[in-house]
Amino acid sequence: MKYRDIISEMTREEKASLMSGKDFWQTMDIERLGIPSIFLADGPHGIRKQAEAADHLGLNESIPATCFPTAATVANSWNEKLAMQMGVHLGKEAVDQKVNVLLGPGINMKRSPLAGRNFEYFSEDPYLAGKLAAGMIKGIQSQGISACVKHFAVNNQEERRMSIDTIVDERTLREIYLTAFEIAVKEGETKAVMSAYNMLNGEYTNENLHLMKEILRDEWHYDGVVVTDWGGSNDRVAGLIAGNELEMPTAAGETNQEIVTAIERGKIKEDVLDQCVDRLLDLIFTTEEAFNQEPKMVDKTAHHQMAQLVAEESIILLKNEANILPLQQDKKVAIIGDFAKETRYQGAGSSIVNPTFLDHPLDLLEEPELNSIGYEQGFDRYGKRSARKINKACALAKQADVVLLYIGLDEVTEAEGLDRQSMEIPANQIELLDALYEVNSNIVVVLSCGAAVEMPWITKVKGLVHAYLSGQAGAKAVQRIITGAVNPSGKLAETYPLQYEDTPAYHQFPGKEVSVEYREGPYIGYRYYDRADDVDVLFPFGYGLSYTTFAYSDMQLSKDGVTLNITNTGKVAGKEVVQLYVGCQSRAIFRPEKELKGFTKVALNAGETKKVTIRFDDKTFRYFNVKTNQWEIESADYKIMIGAASDDIRLEDTIFVEGTEAPLPYNKDTLPTYYSGKANQVSVEEFEALLGHKVPNPKWDRTKPLDYNDTIAQCQYAKGRFARFVFRLIKFSHKLLWKLGKRDTANLIMMSVYHMPFRGYARMTGGVINMPMVDGVLMIVNGHFFKGVRHVLRERKKLVKLNKDKGEFSTSKTGEGEVL
Ligand code: BGC
């Protein structure tokens, strides 16, 4: 242990006190030993340091910081160096704001296009997500502070995120859902990991020994800190045993006492606590050093420009019929759409950043590159169809050569805590598009949203620029792409299906009650569409256009990697993302057709040729064998493919690889759908054959009394009449608020009340409610109203007295006592 001396001077209570927060954002300090508090703050694409009232849903304002493009956007750059540079800038701002741990990046896989936080995550591909995250982490940590990769793991839906049990087979877990984390840990060397809210195969991730000990610590040799997601601690002692150093936010000492008691009763050895304290102290002391340097002013303008640069590399040109883009300067342009006036640039929830500057497309029209003839709103992002607005927009469009139409999803639709209900763009926007098409067919759409949407309207547009959520400088970046000042080079980091029904998890997303079954196994994103050959997609993974063209040639294959030449065959400079896919030719083990195993982004002047090398690594040929319980390589021929997109393979060759000769893991006869690849229709029996055990009953047992981990939503069948009344009241308020147009408040009810497990009220209220009071609430819920009320009041009284005696009951500015 590195800090043995200090630890030996600490009382057991002091050690335990470090194991949960001091308030909403800070860790506990111990003055007499010179142990300071450290500050943790969101987030993944900008600092959200709350100086006043604190919350984990982005409700209260934070100190201004640069809002970089969100991870879904950055991923389209396929540029690890750029992600690192962005990380450096994030790190500098974190140091400036005295933030020790930056709560990002988020690297969960995009299992379904509807998952509410897709905008905050990188990709449907673990290799791409892992590499970009590693770059970003290195950048952040180069400034002396810590990143915190999240949410470990299989946190792929927002509905019931604090209680859902994710059922996934071991191979899929390793190959798809953990690989990005493995890269972030091993290559990014992240100093902190945030455990996810959900359960994994029956255990909360934070307590899951397989995940947290066997994989994270023993296999990956991770020696950093694990912090719970906010309010995500279930059984504190079980968490500690699994190596969870820090529970956030504060539980006002309640859970620290549980640790002390567990040691006193011999349930755990003191050494378990000491090891956790040692790792936490390392995080505290090493990140504090970042603040000992001479303070450097953050140049806000330079950081804004960096945000623009990241956006410029990440925005994707998806359609360019008849080379409508870049716009010629003499073309008269009508600017239409609510999103042109008020840009859509980030998602809602804990990642929300209070930007230092904010560019809106309309503000940039004065600039000479664009010959704008005017603006019309056309639609209201939260409203219904407006004939008046449409008519005005059409009148303007008639006078223009080209219509620049800004559409997308609104802020309330893409929010943490809620999954989207459909993949559609709101109808009033499409009605506008239809009307515009009747008067002017030269339409270029600028799309703003952080996840895949359906585009049945695509035939009506000639140009499509996908801005994703491109941060505070995104509007300028879009403008530079439209006018040709920048040649687009983004490529999709996720597949765009034609319709939601085509997606691999369609029948199994989201898990509604107890569990969610990942029946599609490893067939996520393009891994599914490639094999399910009757399913066409709108835009494949890896797709994106440029104003120039590239030719691929002279592929040379060796046992170490691939070398090839790439030539810019067009008239302007540009950047191409060269993608390496590998496909095992043996059919002994079911697999996707091909998987991304490398990539590189190359800048080329017109006519220029460059030699490119992509090396194989430890992930190129491996698969996880559930029989040997380790990574193996199958002896087989492997197709090595170089592509400009996952469906656009330009060069290919085959190599034989000598494998590890492990026994075959599967009985083919019991897994026909997995071998056929049509994995969105897997029966429960076949899934159980893959898992090797039965699935839990996915439905609530409505006969059982409600418990700590049941949610308020389950009050619908509670024994207590009062609880059922409260449930109906919540549902009614939600509906009413929605009808009144107060969609964000309605959403808040779903996030912080409806889907909250009862234990959450003790974990998230900074000591205002404790577990004995939750016991009383459960008595009420389970039909013992008066007994429950008495219990709550009694426990509350005890708590107030205890806190008075300790002299500790305070409401600190950083959020202790915050009720959410
Ligand atoms: C989110 C985390 C975030 C934390 C603190 C949670 O609700 O899931 O991503 O870092 O809040 O704001």
Side-chain angles (χ1 to χ4, degrees), residues 45-351:
H45 51 263
I47 321 297
R48 183 176 74 99
K49 182 171 181 182
Q50 291 178 315
E52 299 291 330
D55 69 83
H56 70 305
L57 297 170
L59 307 173
N60 297 298
E61 214 177 60
S62 51
I63 300 169
T66 310
C67 179
F68 290 92
T70 73
T73 319
V74 182
N76 304 326
S77 74
W78 295 62
N79 189 336
E80 291 167 72
K81 282 201 190 114
L82 188 73
M84 189 187 306
Q85 270 174 285
M86 176 173 145
V88 169
H89 285 71
L90 284 171
K92 283 187 179 160
E93 292 192 31
V95 172
D96 185 52
Q97 293 197 20
K98 298 261 175 317
V99 168
N100 302 65
V101 180
L102 197 54
L103 303 173
I107 60 173
N108 296 93
M109 290 293 99
K110 300 184 188 198
R111 176 174 178 251
S112 165
L114 296 188
R117 287 180 93 170
N118 278 1
F119 71 88
E120 263 186 80
Y121 299 143
F122 288 94
S123 179
E124 67 187 26
D125 184 88
Y127 192 85
L128 180 58
K131 288 287 177 182
L132 291 173
M136 197 173 282
I137 292 166
K138 280 188 217 153
I140 294 170
Q141 297 192 162
S142 70
Q143 301 308 302
I145 58 140
S146 170
C148 179
V149 71
K150 64 190 187 184
H151 308 87
F152 190 60
V154 287
N155 182 182
N156 310 102
Q157 70 175 57
E158 291 301 286
E159 180 149 349
R160 296 183 61 76
R161 63 176 175 160
M162 294 183 87
S163 57
I164 199 81
D165 187 5
T166 303
I167 311 297
V168 58
D169 69 280
E170 186 67 19
R171 176 175 165 213
T172 301
L173 177 69
R174 302 298 195 109
E175 293 184 11
I176 305 296
Y177 294 96
L178 296 188
T179 293
F181 285 99
E182 184 186 349
I183 298 172
V185 166
K186 290 186 183 165
E187 296 175 30
E189 297 183 28
T190 185
K191 288 166 161 241
V193 170
M194 186 188 291
S195 54
Y197 281 135
N198 49 282
M199 293 186 183
L200 164 62
N201 292 328
E203 283 175 333
Y204 279 98
T205 61
N206 194 55
E207 298 159 18
N208 192 311
L209 289 173
H210 179 51
L211 183 70
M212 291 296 177
K213 282 223 105 137
E214 291 170 5
I215 298 177
L216 181 65
R217 304 282 184 189
D218 301 344
E219 276 183 36
W220 300 351
H221 307 296
Y222 176 66
D223 61 0
V225 161
V226 174
V227 52
T228 63
D229 198 346
W230 265 235
S233 173
N234 168 49
D235 177 335
R236 184 63 191 97
V237 174
L240 192 84
I241 295 171
N244 168 248
E245 286 81 8
L246 183 60
E247 172 192 4
M248 287 302 283
T250 180
E254 189 178 18
T255 51
N256 301 341
Q257 187 51 46
E258 289 169 15
I259 294 175
V260 172
T261 309
I263 297 175
E264 280 167 3
R265 296 195 179 150
K267 198 174 163 205
I268 47 170
K269 294 215 174 82
E270 185 113 20
D271 185 56
V272 175
L273 175 60
D274 290 354
Q275 298 284 348
C276 286
V277 172
D278 191 53
R279 290 192 292 257
L280 185 65
L281 287 179
D282 198 44
L283 184 74
I284 294 174
F285 289 127
T286 56
T287 56
E288 275 293 289
E289 280 168 26
F291 311 131
N292 296 338
Q293 321 292 328
E294 194 60 29
K296 285 184 216 109
M297 284 291 284
V298 167
D299 180 344
K300 287 187 190 154
T301 310
H303 281 226
H304 182 74
Q305 275 158 5
M306 181 64 204
Q308 182 183 320
L309 186 76
V310 178
E312 285 171 1
E313 284 241 1
S314 308
I315 290 166
I316 313 176
L317 179 64
L318 286 175
K319 187 170 180 187
N320 197 15
E321 203 177 297
N323 290 333
I324 190 163
L325 292 173
L327 287 181
Q328 307 304 315
Q329 230 164 333
D330 59 335
K331 296 270 189 245
K332 289 184 285 173
V333 181
I335 314 281
I336 295 173
D338 196 27
F339 293 88
K341 182 132 192 258
E342 220 166 285
T343 193
R344 172 81 211 290
Y345 65 107
Q346 64 174 331
S350 65
S351 68

Side-chain angles (χ1 to χ4, degrees), residues 567-762:
T567 305
N568 180 343
T569 48
K571 293 199 174 63
V572 287
K575 291 179 186 165
E576 174 70 326
V577 176
V578 181
Q579 302 161 35
L580 164 70
Y581 295 92
V582 175
C584 180
Q585 298 305 286
S586 150
R587 290 279 173 252
I589 300 165
F590 68 83
R591 299 182 189 245
E593 202 66 43
K594 58 172 140 18
E595 297 182 275
L596 184 78
K597 297 293 180 177
F599 59 91
T600 183
K601 195 164 190 176
V602 199
L604 294 159
N605 287 321
E608 192 182 5
T609 298
K610 275 187 185 160
K611 192 179 203 159
V612 169
T613 299
I614 304 180
R615 294 196 175 283
F616 298 150
D617 61 23
D618 61 323
K619 303 189 179 57
T620 310
F621 301 108
R622 73 177 192 178
Y623 76 96
F624 194 82
N625 186 310
V626 286
K627 244 189 198 151
T628 61
N629 196 30
Q630 60 184 19
W631 295 100
E632 304 281 1
I633 293 173
E634 190 182 347
S635 292
D637 281 331
Y638 289 82
K639 215 193 246 184
I640 307 297
M641 293 161 265
I642 293 291
S646 61
D647 78 333
D648 184 10
I649 301 303
R650 304 287 181 91
L651 302 167
E652 65 177 57
D653 203 343
T654 303
I655 189 171
F656 178 78
V657 178
E658 198 74 63
T660 47
E661 303 307 337
L664 287 179
Y666 301 120
N667 172 359
K668 221 172 178 170
D669 299 336
T670 60
L671 304 170
T673 320
Y674 292 106
Y675 276 87
S676 77
K678 296 186 176 34
N680 76 342
Q681 295 283 8
V682 176
S683 68
V684 71
E685 292 76 22
E686 191 173 338
F687 183 48
E688 287 176 341
L690 178 69
L691 284 172
H693 57 80
K694 288 248 171 253
V695 296
N697 183 355
K699 295 273 173 213
W700 292 321
D701 179 351
R702 291 171 184 249
T703 61
K704 267 180 41 194
L706 296 183
D707 213 335
Y708 296 133
N709 289 329
D710 293 318
T711 59
I712 309 296
Q714 288 167 261
C715 284
Q716 58 187 282
Y717 63 83
K719 215 160 165 218
R721 209 177 286 168
F722 181 70
R724 293 200 303 275
F725 168 74
V726 170
F727 170 80
R728 281 197 293 274
L729 194 70
I730 293 170
K731 281 289 262 195
F732 172 78
S733 322
H734 177 260
K735 245 195 195 148
L736 184 73
L737 285 163
W738 195 265
K739 275 223 161 106
L740 293 175
K742 302 248 173 257
R743 288 172 48 188
D744 39 0
T745 322
N747 282 351
L748 198 63
I749 290 184
M750 292 315 265
M751 285 186 277
S752 54
V753 184
Y754 193 80
H755 289 311
M756 179 73 93
F758 289 97
R759 83 177 134 81
Y761 292 96

Side-chain angles (χ1 to χ4, degrees), residues 768 770-777 779-780 784-803:
V768 175
N770 64 7
M771 284 310 260
M773 288 165 73
V774 173
D775 286 333
V777 172
M779 286 175 201
I780 299 173
H784 308 286
F785 185 83
F786 294 108
K787 194 174 158 200
V789 171
R790 277 198 303 273
H791 191 89
V792 172
L793 294 175
R794 205 169 38 239
E795 291 302 331
R796 174 77 195 146
K797 214 165 159 189
K798 272 198 223 161
L799 182 67
V800 172
K801 181 167 178 319
L802 190 78
N803 286 323

